[in-house]
Amino acid sequence: MCVRFPNPNHFKVCIAGKNAIARNALKLLQARFKNDELCIIPNRDDVGMDTWQPSLLKYAREENISVCTLEQVQQIPNLLFLSLEFDRLLRTEQFASKTLYNIHFSALPKYKGVYTSITPLLNGERTSGVTLHCIDNGIDTGDIIAQRIFDIGLQESARDLYFKYLAQGFVLFKENVDSLLTGDFQCSKQDFRQSCYFSRTQIDVKNIHINLKKTSFEIHNQLRAFIFREYQLPSLKGVRVAKSTLSGEFIGANVFAEQENEFILSGIDGFKIVAEKADILAGGGGIILLYAKHFYFILFLIFCSTQKNFIHYFIYLYTYAQKQAYFIKRSLYDKYA
């Protein structure tokens, strides 16, 4: 990666982070600053390609905006540093500048740390928010500058909540960017009595267990808290669940019935949950979808090893290529739909 070190004698605004909020914030700042007054620090997993989210690194390269390291930016005295989904903890004493700010995806002081799209849903929260705060040496513990609070819908998943964070976070940025540039704002201390924190070790997203011996609301919350197709999906009976819908319809306690494309279930209080399957091929059989392409490949190899006819070989090669194309499309659908 070509890195251009910005002139430390000039005022700089640095966007450090990822995804739509960081890219959109950088675009907004381009209307106020020249490109040589801006720089970015991309997250370590940003390879410069758009995926289900836009790449900050790709946009900066296209716009000829400096791509810096954290160590380079720390040396700039006239710096406004904005952390927008940045993936590193910061030590303020390592910065020559003291104007360091972060937008955190939660209604601080609640839900410091990570998994802020999961934990509020697990706990049945009806609201969440985005918070602009000063950066100190703690984890999301700095003084609060501004917040936006919004409702969480009963049927919304972790993915839905994350997209709300992106949208509301950018609105919060637009509302306060001028104040950050001028320093004309007031801060408030966080209320320690409402504070909570979650680390990566507290939730194992690779080993999701749904406890069905709960109320319907609690089961529904467990399902929707892990519904984020780009990262993970919860499972019932080994089949991935793409959507959970809770209703006030009473169907009796502890129901669990599997249908072709969904599960119908309830908790100890008997209210209906519809859990829609992500893998609907062969009646929702997740295992069939997972291993079918390998099965076709093995059949193809067995056939080719027993055939001498070139035409047969070509026909089966074509058939296998079509099957592979189907599964590639299917996997892309699963990832980005």
Side-chain angles (χ1 to χ4, degrees), residues 237-248:
K237 292 183 64 177
V239 180
R240 298 184 304 163
V241 172
K243 184 177 181 181
S244 178
T245 304
L246 173 65
S247 73

Side-chain angles (χ1 to χ4, degrees), residues 294-307 313 316-317 320:
H294 304 294
F295 176 73
Y296 277 111
F297 181 68
I298 291 170
L299 284 182
F300 171 71
L301 291 179
I302 293 172
F303 175 82
C304 290
S305 66
T306 60
Q307 300 300 312
Y313 183 93
Y316 269 74
L317 180 62
Y320 174 70

Side-chain angles (χ1 to χ4, degrees), residues 180-244:
L180 294 179
L181 292 170
T182 62
D184 184 19
F185 58 84
Q186 294 183 339
C187 297
S188 61
K189 297 290 184 182
Q190 296 191 33
D191 185 351
F192 68 91
R193 295 167 297 182
Q194 299 182 46
S195 183
C196 62
Y197 163 76
F198 292 88
S199 68
R200 294 195 184 279
T201 60
Q202 290 178 264
I203 297 176
D204 185 0
V205 295
K206 295 182 179 179
N207 185 28
I208 302 168
H209 172 69
I210 305 300
N211 185 355
L212 299 179
K213 295 182 179 180
K214 293 287 185 178
T215 66
S216 295
F217 181 56
E218 289 174 306
I219 295 170
H220 171 64
N221 288 341
Q222 292 176 74
L223 291 169
R224 66 187 181 127
F226 293 105
I227 293 175
F228 202 134
R229 191 181 286 270
E230 288 78 11
Y231 293 105
Q232 76 283 314
L233 289 174
S235 296
L236 294 171
K237 292 183 64 177
V239 180
R240 298 184 304 163
V241 172
K243 184 177 181 181
S244 178

Side-chain angles (χ1 to χ4, degrees), residues 39-238:
C39 65
I40 71 151
I41 307 175
N43 280 11
R44 286 169 288 196
D45 61 354
D46 189 339
V47 296
M49 295 177 58
D50 292 336
T51 57
W52 65 280
Q53 281 291 301
S55 164
L56 176 64
L57 176 58
K58 178 185 178 212
Y59 182 78
R61 286 171 170 171
E62 291 172 346
E63 295 295 313
N64 200 31
I65 293 172
S66 296
V67 179
C68 299
T69 66
L70 182 58
E71 291 72 23
Q72 288 172 332
V73 167
Q74 287 170 340
Q75 300 174 39
I76 305 173
N78 299 319
L79 172 75
L80 177 66
F81 182 89
L82 296 163
S83 169
L84 304 174
E85 292 267 78
F86 194 42
D87 61 355
R88 273 156 277 182
L89 296 177
L90 305 173
R91 303 295 298 181
T92 58
E93 65 270 14
Q94 295 175 347
F95 284 82
S97 171
K98 300 305 176 187
T99 51
L100 315 173
Y101 309 105
N102 178 50
I103 290 182
H104 180 65
F105 285 178
S106 84
L108 290 175
K110 291 184 175 181
Y111 301 107
K112 295 174 173 65
V114 297
Y115 297 135
T116 59
S117 296
I118 294 175
T119 47
L121 297 182
L122 282 176
N123 292 332
E125 299 282 5
R126 295 187 177 184
T127 62
S128 190
V130 288
T131 306
L132 173 63
H133 67 92
C134 300
I135 294 176
D136 62 13
N137 284 340
I139 300 176
D140 305 316
T141 54
D143 293 348
I144 293 175
I145 299 170
Q147 269 187 338
R148 289 183 66 86
I149 306 298
F150 54 84
D151 292 334
I152 300 175
L154 177 61
Q155 315 302 348
E156 289 180 346
S157 68
R159 190 179 193 275
D160 298 326
L161 179 53
Y162 182 75
F163 275 83
K164 278 191 171 181
Y165 284 144
L166 290 174
Q168 293 292 323
F170 182 58
V171 173
L172 184 67
F173 175 79
K174 288 194 296 183
E175 290 175 342
N176 292 277
V177 62
D178 290 334
S179 297
L180 294 179
L181 292 170
T182 62
D184 184 19
F185 58 84
Q186 294 183 339
C187 297
S188 61
K189 297 290 184 182
Q190 296 191 33
D191 185 351
F192 68 91
R193 295 167 297 182
Q194 299 182 46
S195 183
C196 62
Y197 163 76
F198 292 88
S199 68
R200 294 195 184 279
T201 60
Q202 290 178 264
I203 297 176
D204 185 0
V205 295
K206 295 182 179 179
N207 185 28
I208 302 168
H209 172 69
I210 305 300
N211 185 355
L212 299 179
K213 295 182 179 180
K214 293 287 185 178
T215 66
S216 295
F217 181 56
E218 289 174 306
I219 295 170
H220 171 64
N221 288 341
Q222 292 176 74
L223 291 169
R224 66 187 181 127
F226 293 105
I227 293 175
F228 202 134
R229 191 181 286 270
E230 288 78 11
Y231 293 105
Q232 76 283 314
L233 289 174
S235 296
L236 294 171
K237 292 183 64 177

Side-chain angles (χ1 to χ4, degrees), residues 251-297:
I251 59 173
N254 302 316
V255 171
F256 191 95
E258 183 174 2
Q259 299 183 1
E260 183 178 5
N261 296 324
E262 62 193 19
F263 295 96
I264 306 296
L265 64 156
S266 67
I268 62 169
D269 53 352
F271 294 102
K272 182 179 181 180
I273 303 167
V274 178
E276 298 180 19
K277 298 177 180 179
D279 303 324
I280 60 173
L281 186 67
I287 299 298
I288 293 175
L289 178 60
L290 183 63
Y291 292 109
K293 59 182 179 181
H294 304 294
F295 176 73
Y296 277 111
F297 181 68

